[in-house]
Amino acid sequence: MEYIYAALLLNSAGKEITEDAVKAILVAGGVEANEARVKALVAALEGVDIAEAIEKAAIAPVAAAAPAATAAAPVEEKKEEKKEDTGAAAAAGLGALFG
């Protein structure tokens, strides 16, 4: 996570995300920088618009949750209706027994 945070900090400061910059942030934070991880991070972020990626990540859970909440509401209503119908049928049956 420290590596990602270092990249986000550089992006937020408007700095270029380079291996040296990521290492400098990690060392300043007291983290021993792993060369392979730093290289992999910088290579993975090459050509990525971080602001756009963050925006998409923030919107995705909201968009996914909305249909699920809408779909869940009718199912609950149907279950409640079945319980009411079952209770009314049972009451009518008992009334016929004691007539």
Side-chain angles (χ1 to χ4, degrees):
M1 283 304 246
E2 299 90 3
Y3 295 83
I4 304 273
Y5 292 144
L8 289 172
L9 182 62
L10 288 167
N11 181 68
S12 178
K15 306 287 183 180
E16 185 178 355
I17 300 172
T18 64
E19 290 178 29
D20 290 335
V22 172
K23 284 184 217 173
I25 290 176
L26 292 172
V27 170
V31 177
E32 187 176 330
N34 179 312
E35 289 285 329
R37 291 180 77 183
V38 171
K39 285 183 181 199
L41 174 69
V42 172
L45 293 176
E46 190 174 317
V48 173
D49 182 358
I50 293 176
E52 182 181 334
I54 291 171
E55 184 179 323
K56 284 182 182 178
I59 292 173
V62 174
T70 305
V75 173
E76 291 176 16
E77 290 176 17
K78 289 180 183 176
K79 287 181 182 177
E80 290 176 16
E81 290 174 9
K82 287 181 182 178
K83 288 180 183 176
E84 292 174 6
D85 292 341
T86 304
L94 288 176
L97 287 175
F98 297 108

